[in-house]
Amino acid sequence: MSTTARAIAIVGAGIAGLAAGRVLQDAGHRVQVFDKSRSTGGRLCTRRGEGWQADHGAQYFTARHPLFAAELQRWTDAGAAALWQPRLISLGGDGQHTLNPAVQRYVGAPRMGAPAKLLSMGLTVHTQSTINCLQRLNGLWQLQSAEHGLLPTGFDTVLLAQPAAQAATLLGTTQSPLAALADSVKMRGCWALMLRFSAPVAVDFDAAFINKGALGWMARDSHKPGRSGQETWIAQATPAWSEAHIEATADEALALLLPEFSGWTGAAPDQTSAHRWRYADCEQPANLGCVWSADEQLGVCGDWLNGGRVEGAWLSGRQLALEVLGG
Ligand SMILES: Cc1cc2nc3c(=O)[nH]c(=O)nc-3n(C[C@H](O)[C@H](O)[C@H](O)COP(=O)(O)OP(=O)(O)OC[C@H]3O[C@@H](n4cnc5c(N)ncnc54)[C@H](O)[C@@H]3O)c2cc1C
């Protein structure tokens, strides 16, 4: 492992970027993380309003890999994640079925972004910093952000922890062959509805995978551990429907999707909002784990390189950091 402290920039403070940052900083490197959003967590996020909150991105995460299972234990020990045990069913297709309650599903607690907050403790994270150009001059990477222009210091190493399409755009400002790889992975959109009710929705389930129509998932978000406030449901459109309506307005998406939600639950919300994710998940993740180019001192990580979920993103970031440390 390298012993010389290097200046390392990480673009993206989602779970992949933060996992990489943690390992590299703990190994003695000088890490700075940049994110265009106002907070950390990326797609691990929660929308908050007066008296309500809802996870409009990732719904839950599971742990299959022992390394991620150990990390998840750390998160639960710190109170940043908790087991969620919804009454889970599948709807549509050949009727209604109760799904295997043995699968352990976890959520960030009290909000989805809590694990990201935990990972970012002690890291230097610059929010509202949209990196829009990378240039390598005299062996150092120069970064430019939309909000602050050219950053004052150069970096030995740059790691991109963004969705594939956004990594492809940024890599397009370099000569790196990694641009073609990022460009080759297609990410899919997702429309997510956040629905608020003045009384509990009277159905005998808390979450459902839906196999018919425009919705693919719905969940009683306020049932998740640590949540407070009014009864809130999330309903997500399928990738196919979302892609077909990706340019719709939020009002149009709500008008088309709400009748389906009401059809399944018999309930009509008092208040509604909708969020469009242009890059929610990957149709076919590249499954390379991560990619590190020691010659360029440039690497990429994220869910699109490792299975397309929270667990994959964390493992990808960690793996990239270890490859950086290895040379
Ligand atoms: C609606 C939805 C439902 C999902 N459901 C699940 C689920 O149930 N279970 C599950 O495991 N996974 C789920 N996922 C996927 C999961 O959220 C992701 O796999 C995981 O969070 C990806 O982490 P990441 O760090 O790779 O990317 P992200 O979380 O996307 O982080 C990338 C970060 O890069 C930042 N960024 C991008 N471009 C720039 C730039 N130019 N400059 C600076 N910053 C930039 C972004 O702001 C973002 O914070 C869901 C995702 C969505 C959207």
Side-chain angles (χ1 to χ4, degrees), residues 87-303:
R87 291 169 294 166
L88 179 62
I89 62 165
S90 75
L91 287 170
D94 59 349
Q96 175 170 331
H97 301 281
T98 301
L99 295 177
N100 182 3
V103 177
Q104 306 252 288
R105 295 177 173 83
Y106 289 83
V107 294
R111 282 182 282 284
M112 212 58 182
K117 273 217 163 54
L118 183 68
L119 279 173
S120 68
M121 278 168 71
L123 281 178
T124 302
V125 181
H126 306 275
T127 53
Q128 297 184 289
S129 296
T130 310
I131 305 303
N132 57 13
C133 187
L134 297 178
Q135 297 240 296
R136 198 152 187 233
L137 289 176
N138 304 322
L140 282 184
W141 285 103
Q142 310 291 332
L143 274 62
Q144 187 172 296
S145 87
E147 296 82 357
H148 312 291
L150 189 66
L151 304 189
T153 53
F155 294 88
D156 301 300
T157 302
V158 174
L159 307 182
L160 305 189
Q162 307 155 266
Q166 290 165 327
T169 302
L170 190 50
L171 287 163
T173 67
T174 71
Q175 310 292 317
S176 175
L178 293 181
L181 168 70
D183 204 33
S184 70
V185 176
K186 181 169 163 35
M187 298 203 66
R188 305 182 295 193
C190 179
W191 273 104
L193 308 188
M194 292 155 269
L195 311 173
R196 278 94 71 194
F197 299 83
S198 50
V201 173
V203 289
D204 59 0
F205 59 88
D206 303 306
F209 292 105
I210 307 169
N211 299 309
K212 191 174 161 198
L215 294 178
W217 166 261
M218 62 182 158
R220 196 188 308 263
D221 201 79
S222 45
H223 174 263
K224 291 177 178 176
R227 272 59 175 173
S228 56
Q230 78 190 97
E231 169 104 351
T232 307
W233 281 70
I234 282 283
Q236 288 173 355
T238 62
W241 193 95
S242 299
E243 283 290 298
H245 297 81
I246 202 73
E247 299 304 339
T249 64
D251 284 346
E252 287 165 349
L254 277 162
L256 291 167
L257 294 170
L258 268 180
E260 297 220 12
F261 178 85
S262 297
W264 291 116
T265 60
D270 299 315
Q271 291 165 300
T272 61
S273 40
H275 182 85
R276 172 187 49 209
W277 291 96
R278 273 195 193 275
Y279 310 120
D281 69 356
C282 312
E283 205 168 314
Q284 196 116 48
N287 288 336
L288 298 167
C290 64
V291 182
W292 167 235
S293 166
D295 288 348
E296 298 173 290
Q297 286 294 304
L298 185 61
V300 284
C301 62
D303 65 338

Side-chain angles (χ1 to χ4, degrees), residues 15-16 35-37 42-43 57 59-60 131 161-162 303 309-310:
I15 217 72
D35 202 289
K36 65 187 176 68
S37 304
R43 281 170 276 164
Q59 294 297 291
Y60 60 82
I131 305 303
Q162 307 155 266
D303 65 338
R309 309 196 76 68
V310 172

